[in-house]
Amino acid sequence: MTPMPTRTILAASGLVLAAVIAGAPFVLNEGILRLATECLLLLTMAQMWNLLAGYAGLVSLGHQVFIAFGAYALFLTSGWLEVTPIWVLPVAPVVAAVVAAIIAVPLFRLREAYFSIAMWVFAEIIGAFTMKSQAVGGTSGLPLPTGKLIDFDWFETTMFWLAGALTLGTIAALYKLMISSFGLGLMSVRDNDLAAMSVGVDVRRNRFVAFVLSAAGCGLAGALSFMGNLFIAPLAAFDVNWSVYMMFIVIIGGIGTLEGPILGVIIFFGLRELMTGPLGLSGGWYLVGLGVIAVIVMMVAPRGIWPALRDRLGIRLLDVQRTSPRPAVVLPSASEQIAG
C-alpha cells in the first residue's frame, strides 16, 4: 500500500482540529473555554517569538511592546469608531507591524545581546510614556469603551473560536513559509549569516520580514487577550513576563521547531494548573517550577524536549528541516569495466 503523503495527513489533521475547535464550546463550560483560549493565544505568541529567535536568530526580550501596541490599538480604535471590537481586530496586527518596521531600521544595526537589550529598553520606554499619558488612561488603565455592544451570551465562545482560528492559521502559515525558499534562506541566516550572504541571501530583508510578521502576530494575539479581559493597563500590557513566558515555552518545547511551542504550552499550563490547583501553592510558584524545568531541559536536552523525542522516536510531524543531498554515485563506464 502506498503511504499517504505528509501534506495530505497534515491537511486532514488540520480539518479535524478545526472541527474540534468548532464543536468544543457546545460541550465545555465557560471556565474551561477561557483557559483554552488563554492557551491558544499564548501558543500563538510563542510561535511568533520562535519565528524570530528560532528561525531568524534574533532573540527579543521586549516582544511585550507589540502585544501592548496591538491591544491599545484595538481599544482606542473601537472607542473612536464606536463599533464592536471584533470588527476592528485587523487594526491590531497592522499597528504592531508598522511599529516593528519603523524600529527595525535602528535596531538591525545591533547584533546578538545588544539587539535583545535594545528591544527590552524600547518596551520599557514606551511603557513609561503610556503610564504618563492620560489619553490612554495612564496608570489606571482603560476599560473597553464599546464593551456594552458585546453579546456576552456568545462572548466566551466567540473568543475561543477566534483564538483557535488564529492559532491554526498561524501554524499553517508558518509551516508553509518555512518549507518555501524564503524559509530556507531564513534558516541559513540563523545558522550563519555571513555564509548566507555569500551565496546571495538578503540577510537584512529576511530578518526584517520575520521581525514584522512576528510583531503582527503578537499584536493580534495581544489584542484578543485584552479584549477578553475588557480592560487594559500599562503594567499588564507591558509586563516583561509576556516575553519570559514565550521564551520559556519555546526553550522547553524546542526552539526552531513548530511542534516545540505546542509541547511547551502544554507543560507551562499543566504545571501552572497543578501547582495552583491540587497543590494549592501561590501563583508565583509555578514560575519557579517552570524555571527549574527550563534549567534541567537546557542541561539534558539543549535543543528542547521535542527535538530529543523526535530524534529518539523518529517522529516527523511539522518538520521543516532540510537534509543535505547525498552525493551521486558515479558508475564506471563500460570501457573502465573492461579495463578493470
Side-chain angles (χ1 to χ4, degrees):
M1 181 180 296
T2 304
M4 188 177 296
T6 303
R7 293 189 181 183
T8 303
I9 296 174
L10 292 177
S13 301
L15 290 175
V16 171
L17 288 174
V20 169
I21 290 174
F26 300 103
V27 295
L28 301 177
N29 60 46
E30 287 192 0
I32 297 177
L33 275 183
R34 189 167 184 80
L35 176 62
T37 300
E38 186 182 0
C39 294
L40 291 169
L41 291 177
L42 193 53
L43 173 57
T44 299
M45 296 176 192
Q47 291 285 10
M48 292 292 97
W49 191 89
N50 188 39
L51 169 63
L52 190 64
Y55 291 113
L58 294 173
V59 177
S60 170
L61 298 180
H63 246 47
Q64 65 271 15
V65 73
F66 301 124
I67 293 172
F69 268 114
Y72 272 105
L74 175 73
F75 275 55
L76 295 175
T77 306
S78 177
W80 291 336
L81 299 180
E82 297 184 352
V83 296
T84 305
I86 293 176
W87 295 111
V88 292
L89 270 175
V91 172
V94 170
V95 169
V98 169
V99 172
I102 294 172
I103 66 173
V105 176
L107 285 180
F108 278 16
R109 296 178 181 272
L110 305 173
R111 294 175 63 86
E112 299 176 354
Y114 296 101
F115 172 86
S116 304
I117 295 172
M119 275 298 304
W120 173 70
V121 171
F122 175 72
E124 290 296 308
I125 292 173
I126 299 300
F129 276 117
T130 304
M131 285 190 284
K132 293 181 179 298
S133 175
Q134 294 304 315
V136 293
T139 56
S140 300
L142 186 71
L144 186 62
T146 54
K148 60 182 180 296
L149 301 178
I150 294 175
D151 182 3
F152 286 97
D153 292 334
W154 286 90
F155 184 60
E156 293 296 343
T157 298
T158 303
M159 287 294 301
F160 175 76
W161 281 339
L162 288 172
L166 176 59
T167 302
L168 287 181
T170 296
I171 294 174
L174 287 178
Y175 179 77
K176 188 71 174 177
L177 180 69
M178 298 316 299
I179 63 174
S180 68
S181 58
F182 174 82
L184 178 60
L186 192 62
M187 286 186 282
S188 69
V189 169
R190 173 200 62 192
D191 295 335
N192 191 321
D193 55 352
L194 295 178
M197 193 182 303
S198 68
V199 295
V201 176
D202 191 335
V203 173
R204 191 178 182 85
R205 173 184 169 274
N206 283 24
R207 282 181 167 168
F208 177 84
V209 172
F211 188 56
V212 170
L213 289 177
S214 178
C218 281
L220 181 53
L224 280 171
S225 179
F226 283 97
M227 187 177 81
N229 296 332
L230 304 176
F231 183 82
I232 187 171
L235 290 178
F238 291 93
D239 190 354
V240 71
N241 278 332
W242 286 112
S243 290
V244 173
Y245 296 159
M246 289 184 269
M247 189 184 309
F248 277 177
I249 286 170
V250 172
I251 290 174
I252 290 173
I255 191 168
T257 67
L258 295 179
E259 304 94 336
I262 299 173
L263 182 58
V265 161
I266 294 172
I267 294 172
F268 179 88
F269 282 98
L271 184 64
R272 191 188 76 174
E273 295 303 309
L274 174 65
M275 298 189 74
T276 58
L279 297 182
L281 299 176
S282 61
W285 278 104
Y286 80 91
L287 292 177
V288 176
L290 190 67
V292 171
I293 291 177
V295 171
I296 294 173
V297 168
M298 285 187 287
M299 293 175 62
V300 177
R303 294 181 299 161
I305 295 176
W306 174 254
L309 291 176
R310 178 192 62 196
D311 295 343
R312 180 176 292 272
L313 303 177
I315 302 174
R316 295 290 186 272
L317 297 177
L318 297 169
D319 193 13
V320 297
Q321 299 295 326
R322 268 60 163 203
T323 56
S324 301
R326 295 179 179 178
V329 178
V330 180
L331 297 176
S333 63
S335 57
E336 289 175 337
Q337 289 179 0
I338 295 173

